[in-house]
Amino acid sequence: MKEKKQVLKGEEGFNSYYSELFGERWNSLKESFFKENQSVEYKVRNAEKSYFLDSASIFAALNLPVKGAKNILDLCAAPGGKTLVLASRMDEDAQLSSNERSSDRKHRLSVVVETCLPEEISERVRVSCSDGSTWCTRQSECFGRILLDAPCSSERHVIQDPKYLNTWSPSRIKTVAMEQWALFSSAYRLLEPDGIMVYSTCALNPVENDEMIEKLIKKFNKDGKSFELLESKIDMNEVTDYANFRIPVIEKTKYGYQILPDTAEGAGPIYFSIVHKIQSIQS
């Protein structure tokens, strides 16, 4: 065990860990990370600027059905691409809270909202700087729709940066997963009964993806009646005026979906799961 722990550090440990998860596929995944990811232009009518983002990110955000919802929350919103996807699709009387805990990233988010959305939409987007993991201590069950694009291990960036790759260890995953759970459990408490939340990451490992959903089930769904997981179902007509892209290849996981760049023409990686809250956690 001591020898195994010593190996699971740096580049060698990184490759060993993910080879065990993906087997022979790991080589093709690694190669795909170094290929150029063709970003999609997202241009909302009458906006000052376009925004470019991964087609997998657009697809994940599309899985949050915002029609009919009045109060929407993007809990970890910077740099702002998914906020644009939500805001451009919401009803004319809906409000979107777009939150980021880092003041620097919040500033960048504000600029994206101001320049990439027309005024009639941006005036209904409230940008805030708050720790999402503690938001539930101030409010509860107050948003009909929530997107939680959680901070994650982001292996695609790790493998491209020698500084992060050389210092990688499994403890990084454990630390990030603790932060994700704090955000996820807070977001669930903020979700109204009959509300829908999309949990997403750009991580590859199941600890940050399906295992996070499993944790939510054990915590809040012991009787099987508190929430259900929905199937991916999107309406491409909602964004045909704003972006031109093809639906990437989607792979089903135990509790959600994953888009991986080796089979999705460079898009991703993205994981997402769709949670429909059936009853109040107070009941």
Side-chain angles (χ1 to χ4, degrees), residues 25-40:
R25 186 180 183 181
W26 177 235
N27 288 327
S28 62
L29 269 172
K30 282 198 300 182
E31 291 177 6
S32 68
F33 290 155
F34 290 98
K35 294 178 181 178
E36 185 177 356
N37 185 354
Q38 298 295 328
S39 297
V40 175

Side-chain angles (χ1 to χ4, degrees), residues 45-188:
R45 59 182 177 274
N46 300 324
E48 179 183 337
K49 293 182 178 179
S50 299
Y51 189 91
F52 292 84
L53 71 164
D54 192 313
S55 61
S57 295
I58 298 175
F59 187 82
L62 283 176
N63 275 275
L64 186 67
V66 295
K67 295 299 181 184
K70 303 307 178 190
N71 294 304
I72 305 163
L73 172 63
D74 188 352
L75 190 57
C76 301
K82 293 186 181 70
T83 279
L84 299 181
V85 178
L86 299 180
S88 63
R89 297 162 49 230
M90 66 183 182
D91 293 342
E92 293 183 357
D93 59 346
Q95 303 284 328
L96 171 62
S97 295
S98 188
N99 180 71
E100 174 56 45
R101 71 178 181 181
S102 162
S103 58
D104 289 341
R105 286 169 60 82
K106 183 254 185 181
H107 174 71
R108 182 181 176 189
L109 173 63
S110 297
V111 172
V112 168
V113 168
E114 291 170 6
T115 59
C116 299
L117 286 172
E119 186 177 357
E120 64 268 20
I121 297 178
S122 65
E123 65 184 9
R124 291 183 287 114
V125 178
R126 177 180 176 269
V127 178
S128 60
C129 185
S130 176
D131 183 354
S133 65
T134 63
W135 196 324
C136 65
T137 63
R138 302 184 297 275
Q139 291 179 286
S140 65
E141 299 190 334
C142 52
F143 293 100
R145 300 290 186 269
I146 297 176
L147 173 65
L148 172 55
D149 184 28
C152 69
S153 289
S154 189
E155 294 93 344
R156 183 168 194 155
H157 294 104
V158 170
I159 202 170
Q160 292 176 343
D161 191 325
K163 181 181 72 173
Y164 291 112
L165 184 59
N166 292 333
T167 58
W168 181 90
S169 74
S171 63
R172 171 188 170 91
I173 295 172
K174 184 178 180 180
T175 300
V176 170
M178 291 174 62
E179 179 184 3
Q180 290 168 336
W181 175 245
L183 288 163
F184 198 10
S185 57
S186 177
Y188 187 75

